[in-house]
Amino acid sequence: MYKTLTFALLLLGFSTWAQDHNLKKDYSSVENKVIEWRRDIHQNPELSNREFKTAEKIAKHLKSLGIEVQTGVAHTGVVGLLKGNQPGKVVALRADIDALPVTERNDLPYKSTVKSTFLGEEVGVMHACGHDTHTAILMGVAEVLSKNKDKIKGTVKFIFQPAEEGAPPGEEGGALLMVKEGVLSNPDVDAIFGLHINSQTPVGTIKYKPGGSMAAAQRFVINVKGKQTHGSQPWGGVDPILISAKIIDGLQTIISRETELTNEAAVITVGKITSGVRFNIIPESAELIGTIRTLDYDMQKHINRRMEEMVPAIAKAYGGEATIDIKSSTSITFNDLALTPKMVPTLQRVAGTENVVVHKAITGAEDFSYFQEKVPGLYFFLGGMTPGNTESFPHHTPDFKIDDSGLLLGVKAMTELTLDYLNM
Ligand SMILES: [Zn+2]
Ligand SMILES: [Zn+2]
């Protein structure tokens, strides 16, 4: 309650920052280009850490605008630096540029027919998460801002990030590698903004959530050790499959009985169990693999600690042994509690107050979180569904579709967040 109140007061306090930047002409001249770039990138998708042609297109465009360009960052990433006419803070804007191993089923003039290999298999490649729109939007923002250096009090860093969907096994990549390679320093970034298009939110709508917006993802592996015996004589051994069942049951009670779900969502999922060879043998061991999703670090700590206590204890209770290994794969996409209310009036100005809504926590994860771990950031969602559409398809599916008419709002939002922030 206290948090909500403070948040509302901050909103009121900062609404005076809302100002018009007189960019109408620049927006209308860039809209068609953004749509063209988007369609071109859509038709030529590239998998994570393999975004060679996409990176070339981005670098060429930034150079044509007189922006200082660095290529090959975190493999195929492109970073542009635009200095304004006056000194000031440094804002980073991030777009992810990779596509997915999905075969497109849409009937579009710019449909992807690209094929590639993924984990040794031939796959179709498609921008089934909409990162083509993110790339085109940020190229558009670069164009508008480079024409308005006189309005920029500080520096803008354009981060075109590869491998948001995850680097291929055995490779590093994505936001974490970009941070490791120093993308947030030299010059040091003061704040970062990013967006994700959404196929199930109508064009014109912006959604955001202060605090934990998208979940931290962790992967766990549980190894259960029993004692092998004949399936007809269980008393002669220790059954690791039964122990696994008890462990799964126990883990779910951490969520349902110990986690304050009214504060934030939390999920434990066991996604894979491997054990046994045939029907009449009680095997020696079992392996359980799963994921944990949390939106609050205290909750994450509690859940992790209880899993570590419970897993060996349950195994012991049934005469076996078990170990658990938890590894974090993505942090919480956490919208800074000071920065977010300062920037909401900008979003309201570009989209219309009634079109800016607070969304519920999302248990999916996003590696933009690695930037937000280092610097205050705001990550929001942009509507990409044709207004009035009754049918929309989720991200990562062959029928996923984005309406181009939603892109300009993304350009406006990112451009004006930058200008407003640098003027604060
Ligand atoms: Zn995705
Ligand atoms: Zn995505």
Side-chain angles (χ1 to χ4, degrees), residues 96 98 100 128-131 134 164-165 196 365-366 395-396:
D96 39 6
D98 55 330
L100 286 159
C129 201
H131 300 179
H134 306 167
E164 192 283 327
E165 300 289 358
H196 207 300
E366 160 63 54
H395 292 236
H396 293 207

Side-chain angles (χ1 to χ4, degrees), residues 357-391:
V357 293
V358 175
H359 67 78
K360 288 187 215 163
I362 295 167
T363 46
E366 160 63 54
D367 78 354
F368 186 77
S369 53
Y370 288 120
F371 299 118
Q372 287 173 313
E373 245 179 11
K374 302 287 175 194
V375 296
L378 171 60
Y379 191 73
F380 60 96
F381 293 88
L382 177 71
M385 182 179 80
T386 307
N389 239 17
T390 46
E391 199 182 31

Side-chain angles (χ1 to χ4, degrees), residues 87-328:
K89 289 178 283 195
V90 180
V91 167
L93 304 175
R94 177 271 209 166
D96 39 6
I97 64 173
D98 55 330
L100 286 159
V102 173
T103 303
E104 180 153 18
R105 210 153 48 190
N106 289 312
D107 188 21
L108 293 166
Y110 54 93
K111 165 187 173 162
S112 164
T113 54
V114 172
K115 286 193 166 37
S116 185
T117 41
F118 182 68
L119 303 178
E121 264 180 67
E122 197 189 50
V123 291
V125 184
M126 175 190 177
H127 267 291
C129 201
H131 300 179
D132 51 341
T133 68
H134 306 167
T135 308
I137 286 171
L138 197 55
M139 285 166 73
V141 174
E143 179 149 335
V144 173
L145 286 174
S146 66
K147 283 188 191 164
N148 288 281
K149 279 197 211 167
D150 56 313
K151 294 193 172 85
I152 302 173
K153 215 173 125 189
T155 302
V156 188
K157 204 179 253 193
F158 298 95
I159 300 178
F160 290 90
Q161 181 209 305
E164 192 283 327
E165 300 289 358
E171 292 179 31
E172 280 187 283
L176 188 60
L177 186 59
M178 286 202 117
V179 171
K180 238 196 210 176
E181 291 189 5
V183 79
L184 294 176
S185 47
N186 189 31
D188 292 353
V189 170
D190 293 296
I192 185 162
F193 300 113
L195 63 77
H196 207 300
I197 198 86
N198 188 265
S199 65
Q200 296 176 307
T201 301
V203 164
T205 299
I206 286 177
K207 290 179 171 173
Y208 75 100
K209 181 179 177 289
S213 159
M214 295 180 82
Q218 294 179 300
R219 183 177 186 272
F220 65 85
V221 180
I222 294 171
N223 278 297
V224 181
K225 208 171 153 261
K227 187 174 170 231
Q228 190 155 330
T229 182
H230 197 289
S232 67
Q233 294 154 5
W235 47 86
V238 174
D239 183 353
I241 292 180
L242 178 82
I243 293 174
S244 298
K246 300 288 182 188
I247 287 175
I248 295 167
D249 196 23
L251 295 181
Q252 292 313 328
T253 67
I254 299 176
I255 298 296
S256 68
R257 304 289 86 179
E258 297 184 24
T259 304
E260 207 169 335
L261 295 171
T262 48
N263 287 344
E264 282 296 0
V267 174
I268 298 176
T269 292
V270 174
K272 189 182 178 194
I273 308 176
T274 319
S275 184
V277 283
R278 57 174 285 145
F279 76 102
N280 59 356
I281 300 174
I282 289 176
E284 183 91 21
S285 62
E287 185 190 60
L288 284 65
I289 303 177
T291 187
I292 308 161
R293 301 299 168 105
T294 46
L295 286 118
D296 176 282
Y297 284 115
D298 287 337
M299 277 163 91
Q300 185 187 65
K301 231 184 266 165
H302 174 81
I303 289 169
N304 287 181
R305 181 175 59 79
R306 290 292 293 133
M307 288 175 82
E308 280 158 359
E309 284 169 3
M310 203 180 256
V311 166
I314 290 175
K316 194 172 172 222
Y318 293 95
E321 282 169 39
T323 57
I324 176 165
D325 181 43
I326 303 173
K327 282 204 169 62
S328 291

